[in-house]
Amino acid sequence: MSGRLILGLTAISLNASVALASDGVYPTDPVSLATGLELAEIHCATCHAVAADDISAVAGAPAFRDLSQLYPLESLEEPLAEGIVTAHENMPEFALEPQDIDAFLGYLTSIQEK
């Protein structure tokens, strides 16, 4: 499984050659944004509002459009690469290909409320 990451309670190391947009500039092309939305819908929409105008299905689950009000989105790069560990047990584990991290963060950036 080298070169993959696990989000949730388990993390696997990535190859050192994986490059992320560490400068906080993420893809804005339609294909990348659609990929990011699809990843959010598949892995996150059970609890979180993942679109620009929906409501979180689980009380207390932050809407993705508000995440930049909680912390800088670029601060998610490392946790996405190493695996996110959360304080609640309902956070599912899922794997993303390394190239999908930028698409995911690009989508998140595109829906932030100003």
Side-chain angles (χ1 to χ4, degrees):
M1 277 207 208
S2 181
R4 294 178 64 87
L5 66 113
I6 302 294
L7 298 177
L9 302 178
T10 307
I12 299 175
S13 297
L14 291 175
N15 293 333
S17 62
V18 174
L20 298 174
S22 60
D23 58 2
V25 178
Y26 305 106
T28 59
D29 62 279
V31 172
S32 294
L33 296 180
T35 298
L37 171 59
E38 182 178 22
L39 291 166
E41 288 173 337
I42 290 169
H43 299 292
C44 310
T46 302
C47 298
H48 296 274
V50 299
D53 59 358
D54 58 344
I55 297 171
S56 291
V58 173
F64 279 10
R65 68 182 164 274
D66 297 329
L67 289 179
S68 66
Q69 295 173 24
L70 301 173
Y71 41 78
L73 294 180
E74 57 271 10
S75 70
L76 293 174
E77 283 184 14
E78 186 174 337
L80 285 169
E82 294 178 358
I84 293 177
V85 178
T86 65
H88 64 89
E89 62 189 52
N90 294 329
M91 178 78 172
E93 290 182 22
F94 61 93
L96 292 177
E97 294 297 327
Q99 67 271 18
D100 289 336
I101 295 171
D102 280 348
F104 184 77
L105 291 174
Y107 172 70
L108 288 182
T109 300
S110 76
I111 63 167
Q112 294 309 292
E113 293 198 351
K114 307 293 182 217

